[in-house]
Amino acid sequence: MKNPPPRRPSATRILDQEDLNFLLTNRVPRALLTRFMGWFSKIEHPLVAALSIRIWRLFADLDLSEAREREFRSMHACFTRELKPGARTIDTDPTVLCSPCDAIVGACGPLDGITALQAKGAPYPLTDLLGDAGHVEACRAGHYVTLRLKSSMYHRFHAPADLRVEHVTYFSGDTWNVNPAALKRVEKLFCKNERAVIKARLEGSGVLLTLVPVAAILVASIRLHWLDTLLHAGYRGPQQIPAHASFAKGQEMGWFEHGSTIIVFVPPGFALCPGVEEGSPIRMGQALLRRIDETGSPLAPPRLTA
């Protein structure tokens, strides 16, 4: 006889009701609530931190067993926690792009020209998301994967391959929740929310790789390690930010300050790896996209020479 599935907190089961979920997480003063949470989460007091994390557990399946630290000075420290060494394995196949984060896979697959889906029946044009016509054309007819980080997940993101970042475009925007209930109801949600468009090139081939971290309610803060400023609703710096930063595959690139989304775009010449489909969980470092040849077959890893 199979063991019954673990019981989830009653608050989590209530929020699984989509209409109620959407009402509670979106029909609220989102910007005000996000600013408050940004302030409150950074209060460094052991009792405040412990009580906040305990309440957080009522609404999420928070598992801290893999965290490097066991005690947190603030809720923010828990949100942005590091993992124990060796907690994630990086796929070393050079023809594979690994997942930059722990996530639930959302809409994914080949682009319809320059159109992607945020949910079934809810398309959005890359022109509205990326904001640069040349960048959009470079992605035409490629593949994309939407990676949704639940609030309880590990919130840091890493390089999917050896790469160099050459440009960041920052868009200040709204803070809609990015959960499935909102993605079905809010047209072009990803194009409305605060986001950073990270333009990178794969080392060796120079192939374009685009990562789009999208902030959301209670987040609205994106930390990129090669920038000396935090990108958030109060940021008043330049929108276009040239960059010269190199990362090895699996190296940490930054973090969110709560759960959110990262959308990965690649040009033609890639395909989804087996098991990457909407609704499937994935961990940072697992195979996400693979290089393919003209026939659609996976490229063989290069042979090592003595």
Side-chain angles (χ1 to χ4, degrees), residues 207-276:
V207 169
L208 176 69
L209 172 69
T210 305
L211 302 174
V212 186
V214 183
I217 189 169
L218 306 184
V219 190
S221 293
I222 302 169
R223 167 64 69 183
L224 302 176
H225 287 326
W226 63 94
L227 301 181
D228 59 3
T229 185
L230 183 69
L231 300 177
H232 60 92
Y235 172 76
R236 294 296 180 266
Q239 182 186 25
Q240 304 294 335
I241 310 171
H244 303 280
S246 294
F247 292 89
K249 191 175 191 178
Q251 186 178 355
E252 185 181 311
M253 298 179 72
W255 67 67
F256 289 111
E257 301 206 345
H258 201 190
S260 197
T261 293
I262 296 178
I263 314 173
V264 182
F265 294 96
V266 289
F270 289 83
L272 298 175
C273 288
V276 177

